């Protein structure tokens, strides 16, 4: 080979070696669109998710896969009737590379539809709507949180093991409430219990009095509930004020007491809930996460902060594999499907329909903490019914 040819080959090889970096740089900033509630009963949940996400990004020096981040935000108000317009602001107006959202299941379903149609990456950092990783599943849609069925199912098994036979459920009438109750029923009734009555009220109504009177009259062995955010604070206080806490054990998915304990005070003491996080897990990842979160935000983290942190972590795993290319869904998906995600909740993997397969903990409120009592269900996978990729 002539010297000039060797020189040309060497130049080509060195260009190839730096190509990935150049590729990421050429794409400019990575546009991340937050669609979260900044107002309403779930506002504090949205803020914890964003805090968690930003914490992970800041720990990576403000970049993911070599790309600096530009954030844009939409307040979705946890209002499904505005969801399609809101998500289209991010997709069509802002042209974001990835959407992070949201909290409310009804809003998340509209987001999943728009993401599926446009092919935009979507990572859901809370909303448990079963359909998102069921019939609406898609190669570009992932969840860093849970399906509504998961914590409910684990609590159903626990309530049956505790020997309860007749239970009343109470929740908001929308996907998250109804699907949590369905999960609970599956776990409870498969193990010999009976749900004798389902009570509900429209989201985000908090006028619980008439329903609490009905519970007192029905005299069940126990009550199962799904409420979250501001509604959970009010429900726990009203249940106690009605004199029911002393008479009828109250069980819930962990959203009942996560991020709410300061406001609930002693009315929450001793409550048992099931969730994929607790305040005393003490694994290495959790210790450093809790320390960094408290230092940065002067707040204790909760499950929502963990889900936001993990959404950023999942984005990073996927984009590192694609060298920063948010359009390469095939490679992004393959990287996440095989990843072991090192979360503060413990390591988890993703199911074929992109929902976490994770341990569900039984937790007890002690003071201002949700303390892990045991693993209620190890590596619980959502069935992902109806998902065809
Ligand atoms: C939901 O709507 O999916 C949801 C909202 C708050 C906490 C958990 C789930």
């Amino acid at each position: 080979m002539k010297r000039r040819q060797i020189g040309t080959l060497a130049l080509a090889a060195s260009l190839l070696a730096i190509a990935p970096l150049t590729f990421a740089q050429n794409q400019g900033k990575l546009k991340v669109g937050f669609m979260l509630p900044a107002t309403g009963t779930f506002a504090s949940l949205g803020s914890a998710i964003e805090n968690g996400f930003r914490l992970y990004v800041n720990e990576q020096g403000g970049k993911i896969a070599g790309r600096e981040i530009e954030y844009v935000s939409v307040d979705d108000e946890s209002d499904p009737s505005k969801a399609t317009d809101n998500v289209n602001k991010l997709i069509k107006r802002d042209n974001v590379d990835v959407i992070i959202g949201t909290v409310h299941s009804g809003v998340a379903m509209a987001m999943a539809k728009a993401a599926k149609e446009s092919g935009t990456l979507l990572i859901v950092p809370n909303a448990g709507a079963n359909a998102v990783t069921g019939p609406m599943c898609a190669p570009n849609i992932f969840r860093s949180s849970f399906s509504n069925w998961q914590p409910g199912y684990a609590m159903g098994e626990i309530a049956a093991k505790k020997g309860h036979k007749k239970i009343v459920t109470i929740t908001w009438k929308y996907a998250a409430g109804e699907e949590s109750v369905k999960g609970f029923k599956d776990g409870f009734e498969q193990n010999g219990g009976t749900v004798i009555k389902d009570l509900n009220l429209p989201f985000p109504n908090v006028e619980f009095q008439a329903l609490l009177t009905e519970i007192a009259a029905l005299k069940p062995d126990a009550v199962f509930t799904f409420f979250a955010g501001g509604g959970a604070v009010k429900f726990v206080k009203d249940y106690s004020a009605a004199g029911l806490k002393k008479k009828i054990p109250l069980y819930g998915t962990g959203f009942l007491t996560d991020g709410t304990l300061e406001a609930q005070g002693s009315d929450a003491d001793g409550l048992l809930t099931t969730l994929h996080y607790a305040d005393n897990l003490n694994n290495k990842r959790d210790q450093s996460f809790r320390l960094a979160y408290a230092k940065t935000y002067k707040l204790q983290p909760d499950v929502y902060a963990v889900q936001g942190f993990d959404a950023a972590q999942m984005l990073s795993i996927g984009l590192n594999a694609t060298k920063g290319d948010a359009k390469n869904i095939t490679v992004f998906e393959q990287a996440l499907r095989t990843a072991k995600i090192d979360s503060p909740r413990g390591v988890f993997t993703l199911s074929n329909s992109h929902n976490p397969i994770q341990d569900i903990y039984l937790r007890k409120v002690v003071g201002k903490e949700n303390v892990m009592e045991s693993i209620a269900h190890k590596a619980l996978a959502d069935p992902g019914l109806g998902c065809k990729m």
Side-chain angles (χ1 to χ4, degrees), residues 105 159 188:
S105 275
F188 190 51

Side-chain angles (χ1 to χ4, degrees), residues 13-27 65-67 320 322-325:
S14 66
L15 279 177
L16 269 179
I18 60 164
L21 197 61
T22 314
F23 184 57
Q25 282 169 344
N26 276 347
Q27 294 175 97
R67 296 179 71 179
N320 278 332
T322 68
K323 308 222 173 354
D325 182 0

Side-chain angles (χ1 to χ4, degrees), residues 40 110 143 201 264:
R143 186 145 54 193
L201 70 173
Q264 286 163 334

Side-chain angles (χ1 to χ4, degrees), residues 142 332-339 349-354 389:
F142 301 84
F332 187 99
E333 201 229 357
Q334 199 176 355
L336 277 178
R337 282 279 291 280
T338 50
T349 55
L350 290 182
S351 66
N352 291 347
S353 59
H354 302 171
M389 291 262 189

